Amino acid sequence: MEENQTLKNDNFVVRVWRFYLEGFRSMTLGKTLWAIILIKLFIMFFILRLFFFPNILQKEFDTDEERANAVIENLTNTNNSQQQQSQEL
Amino acid sequence: MNDLFTLVDWSRAQFALTAIYHWLFVPLTLGLGIIVSIMETIYYRTGDERWKTITKYWMTLFGVNFAIGVATGIILEFQFGTNWSNYSWFVGDIFGAPLAIEGIMAFFMEATFIAVMFFGWNKVSKRFHLASTWLTAIGASISALWILVANSWMQYPVGMKFDPETARNVMDDFWALVLSPVAVNKFFHAVSAGWVLGGIFVVGVSAWYLLKNRENFLAKQSIRVGAWVGLVGALVVAYTGDGSAYQVADKQPMKLAAMEGVYHGKEGQELIAFGILNPAKEFNNNEKEFLFDIPIPKLLSILATRQVDGFVPGINDIIDGGYPDKNLKGEEIIALSAQEKMERGRLAIAALADFNTARQNNDTTAMNEARARLDANYEYFGYGYVDSVEQLIPHVPFVFYSFHIMIILGGYFILFFILVLILSYKEKLHNLKWMLWVAILTIPLGYVCLEAGWIVAEMGRQPWVIQDIMPTFAAISKIEVASVQTTFWLFAALFTILLIAEVGIMLKQIKKGTEKK
């Protein structure tokens, strides 16, 4: 009762903060699920994204004009961009 | 060349693996979201605390599926930038805009209201809580909308203009993109398929409780809600599936030909209700199409053209051309042969090269001339990369069998839900052990059906990553095949662990039931 009164007296931001805080604190299964979500996001963004999935065009070229020219070269050199690739491989 | 196709194949396999795993989680979220909302609505209207228990129980399973599946689709976006850099540059803001909207919508709608849904019992009013549950379910569907809009554009590229200076397609009509008939059908088809899976899941899990003689009230009531949602979903799936097939016939005739194993089209084309393809059949030999088939006369013509004697082209007709067709603007034309389209595609590619040479030389006249040639041939741009007509034919057995598995299971689900509802209202279901087992065993069939649907949509459009504009082998990045192989296995491991976690936690919660937490 006292706690509800305190909640009502607080401003909106504080009430929202407390809502989430109490929600997270009272979780049971939710704690496991949040752990899974956080581990998954860590693997995705800090391992896969950083080490295995660079944006090729962003990495290799500095400007959009250079990127556009590279793609145009790939698209128009139709012997194909395919043959180049097989040589590189 | 073999190495090249190894790279393309591995990149495609990686994308397929990610999409297939992602699509295990998404439809259950869509379906359970609606079912939980309906259950809470009943609680809100009746005030019966037992319905609150039922709602909270299914909400927990919804939460498990949501948590395990959330963000798995982001990996697809990683792959665009790394494996498919030509493609991701070429599609420009057309793909970026819907995905950005999806991200923002998903964050604000789902992340906000899902917190109220789980944390808000007894803290917010019943009405606000109910609204939050519905908004979570609706938010999930709206998120799916933007992904499906982006996918539909790849199947039917509209609402854009190609900029030869930047090599990007620029959106010039947002609403043409969002309201394209392919996107509208695909959205309702995919979302209602989620309702079907949600219904199957709820009925199946509830059937297990009835077999164990546990949670009887929850199980009996949940079966009714699940079966109604599933039945409505299955009927919407059937209706929008018909709409989708009509759009495929119009915009991707090769996909339709593969779905039905049609090599030589005709007026009054039959639909193959069931068939076994002849493995020896190729588009350029005279072998029979089927070793065994059960055709339904004229039905494919009716479904594909809305006319009893409408002409449905087969694979050979599409390769040879010469039949009445429509272009992208809907104008009546005589279909070009594959060879003619390949010529037009090469002209378009040459025009793009000439345009950029002229641009570097500041030759405006030559630029305008090249631009005119490019515009005149752009709709066949992708054909310029094709070396032989065989490359234009998708893997027929894969598409044919996936399509027929989907259709047969879809029909089965309608009958299943009707039977479950009849038995449930007659209060006989809980005594029929065999039927309860059928309900449990239908759960994996639901997943098989939904995955088969995606295989039809995505394998059927090969070789195109963007229909007629860009084939998969022109979309690929110049990267080491070994790196794609490595990440393929990393994903396989990651997703398998997630799936094991999902199944493990789900089973634990199901066994636990509604015992006081």
Side-chain angles (χ1 to χ4, degrees), chain B residues 121-396:
Chain B
W121 294 105
N122 305 325
K123 288 184 182 169
V124 298
S125 71
K126 277 167 79 175
R127 180 182 295 219
F128 184 58
H129 193 278
L130 176 65
S132 299
T133 306
W134 273 106
L135 285 168
T136 300
I138 293 167
S141 298
I142 294 174
S143 292
L145 168 71
W146 298 109
I147 301 293
L148 294 166
V149 162
N151 180 277
S152 299
W153 181 82
M154 294 156 74
Q155 319 264 352
Y156 177 49
V158 287
M160 88 297 188
K161 200 158 180 59
F162 181 63
D163 179 357
E165 287 191 34
T166 60
R168 303 192 96 160
N169 285 283
V170 181
M171 191 190 303
D172 68 352
D173 187 346
F174 176 76
W175 294 110
L177 188 78
V178 175
L179 298 177
S180 94
V182 175
V184 171
N185 271 293
K186 192 177 276 287
F187 170 67
F188 285 106
H189 194 61
V191 169
S192 53
W195 300 356
V196 175
L197 186 70
I200 289 171
F201 180 81
V202 168
V203 172
V205 171
S206 302
W208 183 79
Y209 283 130
L210 291 181
L211 270 176
K212 296 283 175 190
N213 198 22
R214 286 180 54 196
E215 310 283 357
N216 281 323
F217 181 78
L218 174 143
K220 287 181 180 177
Q221 299 304 321
S222 298
I223 280 174
R224 289 183 184 172
V225 175
W228 273 117
V229 170
L231 180 60
V232 171
L235 294 174
V236 177
V237 164
Y239 179 74
T240 52
D242 171 64
S244 287
Y246 180 71
Q247 295 303 327
V248 167
D250 192 38
K251 276 104 188 165
Q252 298 173 297
M254 184 64 91
K255 183 196 278 187
L256 185 77
M259 283 157 63
E260 276 295 301
V262 179
Y263 283 82
H264 298 281
K266 64 183 181 195
E267 294 174 350
Q269 180 74 46
E270 64 268 21
L271 182 119
I272 305 299
F274 178 79
I276 299 173
L277 291 167
N278 179 358
K281 177 63 185 167
E282 300 284 343
F283 91 98
N284 52 4
N285 69 21
N286 291 322
E287 295 282 341
K288 279 171 52 181
E289 282 91 342
F290 294 97
L291 297 176
F292 172 77
D293 64 326
I294 303 173
I296 303 174
K298 297 184 186 285
L299 188 55
L300 188 59
S301 282
I302 295 170
L303 296 175
T305 67
R306 305 296 191 233
Q307 293 171 356
V308 175
D309 287 318
F311 178 75
V312 179
I315 291 169
N316 286 62
D317 304 296
I318 296 163
I319 297 294
D320 296 337
Y323 61 90
D325 195 15
K326 285 180 187 166
N327 62 14
L328 278 178
K329 293 172 190 162
E331 299 160 344
E332 300 278 341
I333 57 166
I334 297 297
L336 299 182
S337 69
Q339 284 293 350
E340 287 170 315
K341 289 177 184 174
M342 287 155 65
E343 285 303 318
R344 296 276 299 268
R346 289 183 192 116
L347 288 174
I349 292 168
L352 176 62
D354 293 345
F355 178 90
N356 280 287
T357 306
R359 186 166 64 90
Q360 282 160 10
N361 297 333
N362 287 322
D363 185 344
T364 312
T365 311
M367 280 171 69
N368 289 338
E369 185 275 328
R371 178 70 193 250
R373 272 191 286 134
L374 177 60
D375 288 347
N377 296 292
Y378 184 67
E379 66 181 295
Y380 302 107
F381 189 85
Y383 285 89
Y385 299 99
V386 175
D387 297 323
S388 69
V389 293
E390 285 92 337
Q391 287 178 300
L392 294 169
I393 304 170
H395 194 281
V396 176

Side-chain angles (χ1 to χ4, degrees), chain A residues 19-20 22-24 27 29 33 36-37 40-41 43-45 48-49 52-57 64 67-69 71-72 74-76 78 80 82 84-86 88-89, chain B residues 3-4 14 60 67-68 70-71 78 81-82 85-86 89-90 115 119-120 123 164 166-167 349 352-353 356 359 385 470 473 476 478-479 481 487 490-491 498 505 509:
Chain A
F19 175 83
Y20 276 92
E22 286 169 17
F24 281 116
M27 285 190 309
L29 171 65
L33 297 177
I36 290 172
I37 291 173
K40 179 173 61 177
L41 290 176
I43 292 171
M44 281 166 55
F45 284 97
L48 293 174
R49 180 67 165 158
F52 294 98
F53 284 94
N55 186 310
I56 297 287
L57 293 173
D64 274 354
R67 291 176 196 117
N69 288 336
V71 173
I72 289 167
N74 286 342
L75 294 179
T76 56
T78 53
N80 261 325
Q82 305 171 6
Q84 280 186 351
Q85 287 171 32
S86 58
E88 288 179 19
L89 295 167
Chain B
D3 283 342
L4 167 74
Q14 188 183 85
T60 302
I68 307 275
V70 71
F78 293 174
T82 304
S85 60
N86 284 346
W89 182 266
F90 189 72
F119 299 159
K123 288 184 182 169
T166 60
I349 292 168
L352 176 62
N356 280 287
R359 186 166 64 90
Y385 299 99
M470 179 175 265
F473 43 84
I476 200 90
K478 297 173 189 174
I479 53 176
V481 68
T487 47
L490 275 174
F491 283 153
L498 285 175
I505 297 172
Q509 290 303 312

Side-chain angles (χ1 to χ4, degrees), chain B residues 2 6 47 133 241 285 347 401 452-453 455:
Chain B
N2 285 338
T6 304
T133 306
N285 69 21
L347 288 174
Y401 289 119
I455 288 169

Side-chain angles (χ1 to χ4, degrees), chain B residues 61-82:
Chain B
L61 298 189
F62 169 89
V64 172
N65 186 65
F66 185 88
I68 307 275
V70 71
T72 49
I74 289 175
I75 291 176
L76 295 168
E77 293 181 41
F78 293 174
Q79 292 172 30
F80 286 138
T82 304

Side-chain angles (χ1 to χ4, degrees), chain A:
Chain A
M1 193 69 167
E2 209 170 276
E3 194 182 333
N4 279 345
Q5 195 60 44
T6 315
L7 268 176
K8 280 180 186 169
N9 291 340
D10 285 330
N11 69 36
F12 179 73
V13 177
V14 173
R15 278 158 56 197
V16 170
W17 168 254
R18 287 196 172 179
F19 175 83
Y20 276 92
L21 191 66
E22 286 169 17
F24 281 116
R25 275 182 180 164
S26 62
M27 285 190 309
T28 49
L29 171 65
K31 282 177 183 155
T32 308
L33 297 177
W34 269 106
I36 290 172
I37 291 173
L38 293 175
I39 292 167
K40 179 173 61 177
L41 290 176
F42 177 81
I43 292 171
M44 281 166 55
F45 284 97
F46 292 96
I47 299 176
L48 293 174
R49 180 67 165 158
L50 279 184
F51 298 107
F52 294 98
F53 284 94
N55 186 310
I56 297 287
L57 293 173
Q58 293 285 347
K59 187 178 140 191
E60 293 185 359
F61 303 100
D62 295 327
T63 65
D64 274 354
E65 192 178 351
E66 287 175 0
R67 291 176 196 117
N69 288 336
V71 173
I72 289 167
E73 177 65 20
N74 286 342
L75 294 179
T76 56
N77 188 5
T78 53
N79 270 328
N80 261 325
S81 46
Q82 305 171 6
Q83 281 183 4
Q84 280 186 351
Q85 287 171 32
S86 58
Q87 284 161 11
E88 288 179 19
L89 295 167

